[in-house]
Every structure is written in structure tokens, then in C-alpha cells.
């Protein structure tokens, strides 16, 4: 089915219709479930519902300048260069980005949550970035295991915690595999 997007200020999803709203002033017609985009005034101003559909697992994936990708499903790639915007979907639980290395280059933005909608605001939503043991394609400067901003912007907003530390409720013997905490770590 085809949906018409109009001009709201930020990315949001209407949970009753599962429609995405375009955060830009450009209008676009997007056919969900495919990469077909038509009637675009500017293709580089569209949020992709599924960033993981852009690349295969063995390649270095590049989010080009002026493109905006929305990560709403699991994504596995060897390396990831962000030159545009990669925004984490703060309403979808269980999304994991598995990558050998991640580089946010000049002009690029990695956006995980926001001050108005931090990760963890919705039940079960976490931002999990799993850095693989070794990348197939090493970066010439930084190697094969890293998350780095090289002139780019990394924005991460998590749910404020009431408690940021706790005490042990009992002593731990040398070689113990369990710790007993005074407070629940999820509080």
C-alpha cells in the first residue's frame, strides 16, 4: 500500500496505523516493504524505515551524505560509515546493530534517542551495539574494532535512572560467580 507523508517536525509513528511521518518539508510517496520510492521531490530527504536493507553482512556499509536512515530492525554489517544520519528507532524493542567497526565521519550523525524520547522510554527498548570480534575489512586508520566519531556527531540519550549505583547486600567470596545487590539494578 502507498502512504503520503506530510510535514511534521520529527520522526514519529502512529501506532494505530503503523505509518511513519516524514520529518522534512518535502513530500514523498513510499511503498512500504520495498525500496521503491516514487513521486519524490528530493530522494535524499527520505527516512528509510529499515536501514538494514541497504547493505549486506560482509560489506562496509556507507550511509551517504544527505541521506537519513532509520534503524528499526536488526542490522549486521562488517563496517559502517555514517556520512548522513542514522537514527535509532526509539519505539521498537530488541533492535541490535552488530558491526565490526562504526565510524561517524565529518557531517555524519548517529542519533540514539532524544531528550524528549530517550531510549528506554518505551518498554523493552534498548540500543544494543555489538562490536564483532573481528571485521573482515579493516579501517586503514582505526583497525577492525571500534566506535568512533571523526568530525561527526554521536548523540545518545537514555532514560534517566533514579539510582546509578548500589551496595552489595552480602560479601562476595574470592572466586564467586554471583553478586548479591542491596537494590534492584533495573531501578
Amino acid at each position: 500500500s502507498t502512504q503520503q507523508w506530510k510535514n511534521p517536525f520529527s520522526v514519529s509513528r502512529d501506532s494505530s496505523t503503523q505509518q511513519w511521518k516524514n520529518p522534512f518539508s518535502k513530500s514523498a510517496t513510499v511503498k512500504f516493504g520495498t525500496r521503491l520510492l516514487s513521486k519524490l521531490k528530493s530522494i535524499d530527504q527520505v527516512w528509510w524505515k529499515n536501514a538494514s536493507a541497504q547493505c549486506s553482512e560482509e560489506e562496509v556499509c556507507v550511509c551517504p551524505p544527505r541521506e537519513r536512515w532509520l534503524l528499526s530492525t536488526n542490522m549486521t554489517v562488517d563496517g559502517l560509515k555514517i556520512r548522513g544520519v542514522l537514527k535509532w528507532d526509539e519505539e521498537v524493542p530488541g533492535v541490535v546493530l552488530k558491526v565490526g567497526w562504526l565510524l561517524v565521519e565529518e557531517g555524519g550523525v548517529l542519533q540514539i534517542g532524544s531528550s524528549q524520547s530517550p531510549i528506554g522510554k518505551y518498554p523493552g527498548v534498548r540500543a544494543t551495539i555489538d562490536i564483532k570480534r573481528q571485521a573482515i575489512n579493516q579501517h586503514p586508520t582505526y583497525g577492525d574494532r571500534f566506535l568512533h566519531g571523526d568530525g561527526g556527531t554521536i548523540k545518545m540519550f537514555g532514560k534517566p535512572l533514579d539510582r546509578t549505583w548500589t551496595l552489595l547486600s552480602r560479601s562476595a567470596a574470592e572466586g564467586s560467580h554471583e553478586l548479591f545487590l542491596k537494590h534492584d539494578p533495573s531501578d
Side-chain angles (χ1 to χ4, degrees), residues 124-158:
V125 176
R126 293 179 179 202
T128 303
I129 300 175
D130 180 7
I131 304 292
K132 299 191 280 189
R133 288 188 186 265
Q134 186 173 2
I136 298 166
N137 302 289
Q138 288 196 357
H139 187 275
T141 304
Y142 304 113
D144 68 349
R145 294 189 71 197
F146 65 88
L147 186 154
H148 180 67
D150 188 8
T153 302
I154 300 173
K155 297 179 181 180
M156 295 184 188
F157 296 85

Side-chain angles (χ1 to χ4, degrees), residues 28-29 49 73-75 129 132-133 141 174 177 182 186:
T29 302
K49 183 176 181 189
T73 62
N74 293 344
M75 181 176 187
I129 300 175
K132 299 191 280 189
R133 288 188 186 265
T141 304
E174 186 177 330
H177 294 276
K182 183 175 181 181
S186 62

Side-chain angles (χ1 to χ4, degrees), residues 50-53 71-76 88 93-98 128:
N50 185 357
S52 61
L71 186 62
S72 58
T73 62
N74 293 344
M75 181 176 187
T76 301
W88 204 283
V95 176
V96 176
L97 173 59
K98 187 171 185 176
T128 303

Side-chain angles (χ1 to χ4, degrees), residues 156-171:
M156 295 184 188
F157 296 85
K159 182 177 114 179
L161 300 175
D162 295 331
R163 183 179 315 280
T164 58
W165 64 277
T166 189
L167 300 171
L168 295 176
S169 63
R170 52 178 113 150
S171 296

Side-chain angles (χ1 to χ4, degrees), residues 24-40:
F24 304 100
S25 61
K26 311 288 184 185
S27 66
T29 302
V30 176
K31 196 168 193 174
F32 289 100
T34 70
R35 292 175 65 180
L36 173 67
L37 302 174
S38 60
K39 298 182 183 175
L40 295 177

Side-chain angles (χ1 to χ4, degrees), residues 63-136:
C63 176
R66 300 179 8 160
E67 280 198 12
R68 278 83 172 133
W69 292 359
L70 185 64
L71 186 62
S72 58
T73 62
N74 293 344
M75 181 176 187
T76 301
V77 291
D78 192 50
L80 179 58
K81 290 182 183 179
I82 301 172
R83 296 175 178 156
V85 176
L86 178 65
K87 184 179 186 315
W88 204 283
D89 190 333
E90 63 269 347
E91 295 182 21
V92 177
V95 176
V96 176
L97 173 59
K98 187 171 185 176
V99 62
W101 53 267
L102 191 154
L103 178 62
V104 184
E105 294 183 330
E106 182 73 38
V109 177
L110 172 60
Q111 175 84 35
I112 301 175
S114 67
S115 57
Q116 295 81 23
S117 188
I119 293 296
K121 178 179 177 180
Y122 298 97
V125 176
R126 293 179 179 202
T128 303
I129 300 175
D130 180 7
I131 304 292
K132 299 191 280 189
R133 288 188 186 265
Q134 186 173 2
I136 298 166

